[in-house]
């Protein structure tokens, strides 16, 4: 019985290789297709937002991204101490605004480089 189990484990190695090859293609999605992998097409992830308080973060977000389109909601995760983390999730009213916000990826704002991608 043990020999048969080992043979089955070895036989599933090809499947593992297929899984790995599909994982390798993950970060190479085209920008307009990233929302299919990450979730909502109207929500983006922004890393690099600086601010000591949540109000500072929100002000930065609306200053930078408010001119692109209508922002529905901004989620700012916090540390256990209550301080905002240096990233947020911005929910736009439409897909074109979220797509336009991707153009801010790698821009330096407030002395910090932003990373902008779909959630």
């Amino acid at each position: 019985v043990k020999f048969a189990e080992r043979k089955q484990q070895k036989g599933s190695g090809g499947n593992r290789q297929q899984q790995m090859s599909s994982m390798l293609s993950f970060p190479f999605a085209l920008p307009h297709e990233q929302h299919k992998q990450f979730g909502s097409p109207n929500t983006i992830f922004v890393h690099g937002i600086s601010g000591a308080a949540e109000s500072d973060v929100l002000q930065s977000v609306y200053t930078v991204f408010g001119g692109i389109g209508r922002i529905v909601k901004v989620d700012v995760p916090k540390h256990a101490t209550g301080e905002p983390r240096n990233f947020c999730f911005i929910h736009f009213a439409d897909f074109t605004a979220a797509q336009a916000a991707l153009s801010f990826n790698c821009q330096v704002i407030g002395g910090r480089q932003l990373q902008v991608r779909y959630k």
Side-chain angles (χ1 to χ4, degrees):
V1 176
K2 289 184 180 180
F3 176 74
E5 289 174 3
R6 286 185 195 156
K7 191 171 183 179
Q8 282 182 336
Q9 289 174 352
K10 284 185 179 180
S12 66
N15 190 22
R16 176 82 173 152
Q17 288 176 342
Q18 290 173 347
Q19 290 173 349
M20 292 299 288
S21 66
S22 67
M23 287 172 54
L24 291 176
S25 63
F26 172 76
F28 302 109
L30 297 173
H32 65 280
E33 294 178 343
Q34 285 181 347
H35 68 88
K36 294 177 186 175
Q37 295 175 345
F38 296 112
S40 172
N42 297 354
T43 303
I44 61 166
F45 167 82
V46 180
H47 183 271
I49 295 287
S50 61
E54 186 173 1
S55 61
D56 295 340
V57 173
L58 292 174
Q59 184 177 2
S60 297
V61 166
Y62 282 99
T63 301
V64 174
F65 296 100
I68 294 173
R70 189 169 70 86
I71 296 174
V72 176
K73 182 171 88 169
V74 178
D75 293 325
V76 182
K78 297 178 184 171
H79 291 284
T81 60
E83 295 177 11
R85 299 179 72 179
N86 63 345
F87 65 90
C88 66
F89 299 97
I90 303 174
H91 306 269
F92 286 96
D94 60 6
F95 174 69
T96 55
Q99 201 170 22
L102 295 176
S103 66
F104 283 93
N105 190 33
C106 297
Q107 296 286 329
V108 177
I109 296 175
R112 300 183 76 170
Q113 184 176 8
L114 297 182
Q115 294 177 10
V116 182
R117 62 178 184 264
Y118 281 106
K119 177 180 173 185

